[in-house]
Amino acid sequence: MGWFTSKKKDIPDVFVKCTGCGEAVYNKELQKNLYVCPHCDRHLRMPNDVRIEFLCDENSFQEFNASIMASDPLGFSDSATYGERIQKAQEKTRSKEAIITGFASIEGHRLVIGMFDFSFMGGSMGSVVGEKIARAAQASLDHNLPLVIFSASGGARMHEGILSLMQMVKTSQAVAKLSKRHLPFISVLCDPTTGGVSASFAMLGDIIMAEPKALIGFAGPRVIEQTIRETLPEGFQTSEFLLEKGVIDMIVSRPEMRSTMARILSFFKQKDGAYYAVQPSR
Amino acid sequence: MQSNQAVDALPFEQKIVDLEKKIRELKELSDGEHLDLGPEIEKLSQKLARLREDTYQNISAWEVTQIARHPQRPYTLDYIRNLFTDFVEMHGGRQFYDDNAIVGGMARFNGEPVVVIGHEKGRGTDEKIFRNFGMPHPEGYRKALRLMQFANKFQRPLVLFIDTPGAYPGKEAEERGQGEAIARNIFDMSFLKVPVLVIVIGEGGSGGAVALGVGDRVLMLEHSIYSVISPEGCASILWKDVSKSKDAANALKITSRHLQDLGIIDGIIPEPLGGAHYDHEKTYKAVREAISKNLAELKLIAPDLLVEQRFEKYAKMGVFVDEGHGA
């Protein structure tokens, strides 16, 4: 039992209930602790502005393509229209879409960075997310910079139908272009990374890292359990599980993220400080 | 119905079936009793023709889904046997095991050597299980990729048939990197320096379809579907009610007509009235013509240009509003 006992389920803002151990954590303490639960070390979902603050050099982040917004190409509607859902998500998150992209630097290493926002419609990838990733990759090419993307996504956005499925191809090809130019792409998988995102660009990193205990997989655990009619073992589809299976390179906790990223980025630099600008001869 | 085997009608075709039965009965009666029911039969036959036209013209996305999944529809191996010669099946991705949900190998089309690959659902209980209902594990995609690289190495065009409910959502599939296998195929297909012709012949189920779906030309049979998620899956997630699959099918815009309107596919191959399963020969003829025409056109494009155009094509996919001025 922790230092705090609450009979109430949810006290917004002041306390946050850890999704890992269920303990209530003082919100300010959680923020100070990079949204890592002090009781169970669970890496909770964190707002992008906080991630930028602890990861990037001060004031180095310059967002681009912030104004691209979803339209409703299919006229999709279930219990609400897609347009209404977008509007609601924008009001809730104060973001325009499920990813932000821009230039930044980490310990002096310049890079192009993208960060998913899971609170925006489950971080789902539709046309806007696809386009922003493609443009981020293009910015990497234009400026000879590495690309780093932090993923947190339930997968393709159903409300855009086939168009969202095609974003798997579009984003994979975007990072394929970097690969051809020998520019590094580092993929960081956060909780959760599933569906179409886990079956496209996010699995194509030169380096794939994951935050501890993140849920990572193509099919969701519930779908698998329904298909095979058995309960999945504890820890199935976690970062630790994928590391053991050889699917990812490493697990990096938040306090280590900045220094690890800097060390990795420096590996790719040439003596003159530039990343590969031209295809090296073999 | 020209095939020897009787076609199993779908629920929405019940009125047609009833009318056909009535006409058949009248014909028998007419023969046996020396009664002339000719005019009546003629009237009903005309009515039947109209009913058929109406039924298939105003077909819903959910009804198309049922046609796309019809077990008597031609499958990949049917197309391989009927449109290609000298097929030599190749097996395995050289890893773990041979996934029989995907078939492929070298063959000749109009005498020209090609590599043909596709999902195979299988017919009859035993074969369906053997084929895992056309739902591949990662090894299936790695097998397909190996064959694609084989085609690339020996400069043979690729013909790919898509027909899958989706990638298999199983425990082992996850353990062996289902997502990575699909992503890798998309990545490597993008760089293939040979013509890649993709044809959706039945179900184009999500990531499982895309893993074979990056092509210079992507065609769909008229009554096939191609979707980010199955109507049932979408209904259970967004409507929280699987009985709303019909609504989901409609909302997802999964028919060939919709995909053409959205600029995702490059052409539609017409099917016989009611669907490919009503007349296999007619279907094979239409598919043969489509392959001939598209391969002939793609052969004229330089390999580097094929790759460049493949990138350009997918880069354009997406609909959004951009009011800003970029970076």
Side-chain angles (χ1 to χ4, degrees), chain A residues 63-106:
Chain A
E63 190 179 359
F64 52 59
N65 297 314
S67 57
I68 308 178
M69 282 204 285
S71 64
D72 182 7
L74 306 188
F76 194 97
S77 159
D78 46 274
S79 59
T81 67
Y82 179 38
E84 286 163 359
R85 294 204 185 277
I86 287 283
Q87 206 183 350
K88 222 168 116 186
Q90 287 176 338
E91 282 161 13
K92 188 181 102 183
T93 60
R94 279 171 279 139
S95 310
K96 288 243 162 61
E97 253 292 342
I99 193 170
I100 59 168
T101 51
F103 294 109
S105 66
I106 294 174

Side-chain angles (χ1 to χ4, degrees), chain B residues 132-174:
Chain B
N132 200 31
F133 302 85
M135 292 186 283
H137 284 72
E139 290 71 24
Y141 300 117
R142 289 170 185 149
K143 168 184 178 174
L145 184 57
R146 186 193 137 232
L147 296 186
M148 291 183 220
Q149 283 161 346
F150 171 87
N152 197 49
K153 182 174 175 182
F154 298 103
Q155 297 164 54
R156 301 302 187 215
L158 272 159
V159 180
L160 302 165
F161 292 112
I162 291 185
D163 193 14
T164 180
Y168 185 65
K171 205 169 135 192
E172 291 80 12
E174 291 292 320

Side-chain angles (χ1 to χ4, degrees), chain B residues 216-269:
Chain B
D216 302 307
R217 298 275 166 83
V218 179
L219 312 176
M220 279 176 81
L221 259 73
E222 188 181 351
H223 297 311
S224 65
I225 57 167
Y226 195 0
S227 181
V228 65
I229 186 167
S230 70
E232 291 89 339
C234 181
S236 72
I237 296 171
L238 291 185
W239 277 263
K240 310 219 174 357
D241 179 0
V242 85
S243 73
K244 300 284 189 213
S245 301
K246 194 180 169 177
D247 298 319
N250 192 37
L252 282 167
K253 307 263 190 287
I254 56 179
T255 67
S256 58
R257 203 64 43 82
H258 284 129
L259 265 78
Q260 192 168 48
D261 290 347
L262 289 165
I264 304 297
I265 58 164
D266 304 290
I268 297 172
I269 303 174

Side-chain angles (χ1 to χ4, degrees), chain A residues 23-272:
Chain A
E23 288 285 326
V25 189
Y26 190 39
N27 199 354
K28 279 216 175 114
E29 191 193 344
L30 199 61
Q31 280 181 34
K32 219 168 61 193
N33 208 28
L34 306 176
Y35 287 81
V36 178
C37 174
H39 303 286
C40 71
D41 202 36
R42 176 136 190 139
H43 284 50
L44 301 170
R45 285 160 202 161
M46 82 189 308
N48 277 330
D49 51 351
V50 183
R51 192 186 290 282
I52 290 165
E53 208 182 293
F54 91 84
L55 182 70
C56 303
D57 299 341
E58 209 178 334
N59 297 325
S60 70
F61 181 71
Q62 288 172 275
E63 190 179 359
F64 52 59
N65 297 314
S67 57
I68 308 178
M69 282 204 285
S71 64
D72 182 7
L74 306 188
F76 194 97
S77 159
D78 46 274
S79 59
T81 67
Y82 179 38
E84 286 163 359
R85 294 204 185 277
I86 287 283
Q87 206 183 350
K88 222 168 116 186
Q90 287 176 338
E91 282 161 13
K92 188 181 102 183
T93 60
R94 279 171 279 139
S95 310
K96 288 243 162 61
E97 253 292 342
I99 193 170
I100 59 168
T101 51
F103 294 109
S105 66
I106 294 174
E107 292 191 6
H109 304 291
R110 289 183 66 222
L111 71 152
V112 174
I113 194 166
M115 283 167 277
F116 274 75
D117 181 354
F118 188 78
S119 59
F120 193 104
M121 294 187 78
S124 54
M125 178 163 72
S127 297
V128 177
V129 170
E131 179 70 12
K132 285 176 95 167
I133 289 173
R135 290 194 194 182
Q138 190 57 47
S140 290
L141 291 172
D142 292 344
H143 298 268
N144 285 316
L145 293 173
L147 176 67
V148 176
I149 297 177
F150 286 76
S151 296
S153 171
R157 189 172 294 169
M158 286 173 280
H159 312 74
E160 291 187 25
I162 194 74
L163 286 162
S164 59
L165 191 69
M166 290 303 126
Q167 302 311 307
M168 288 172 65
V169 183
K170 182 166 168 170
T171 55
S172 298
Q173 290 192 336
V175 300
K177 281 191 195 168
L178 260 69
S179 195
K180 217 176 158 190
R181 279 265 299 274
H182 296 251
L183 282 166
F185 165 49
I186 299 165
S187 178
V188 188
L189 313 178
C190 305
D191 184 56
T193 300
T194 59
V197 168
S198 82
S200 61
F201 73 91
M203 278 296 166
L204 295 170
D206 297 296
I207 304 276
I208 304 178
M209 51 175 92
E211 290 196 331
K213 293 174 190 163
L215 172 75
I216 301 161
F218 177 62
R222 213 163 39 106
V223 176
I224 299 171
E225 288 187 334
Q226 282 167 3
T227 307
I228 63 173
R229 295 196 187 90
E230 56 180 276
T231 313
L232 291 168
E234 173 121 12
F236 190 76
Q237 294 184 309
T238 58
S239 312
E240 291 73 15
F241 172 86
L242 292 184
L243 183 68
E244 187 196 311
K245 299 290 172 196
V247 177
I248 60 172
D249 287 293
M250 64 191 84
I251 296 172
V252 182
S253 71
R254 281 189 194 142
E256 298 169 330
M257 185 58 84
R258 183 173 151 86
S259 61
T260 306
M261 195 63 86
R263 201 176 327 132
I264 288 172
L265 290 172
S266 72
F267 170 86
F268 298 105
K269 270 194 177 171
Q270 302 304 300
K271 287 207 174 81
D272 61 1

Side-chain angles (χ1 to χ4, degrees), chain B residues 114-125:
Chain B
V114 298
V115 172
V116 56
I117 309 169
H119 305 93
E120 174 58 46
K121 288 180 166 178
R123 282 211 166 78
T125 311

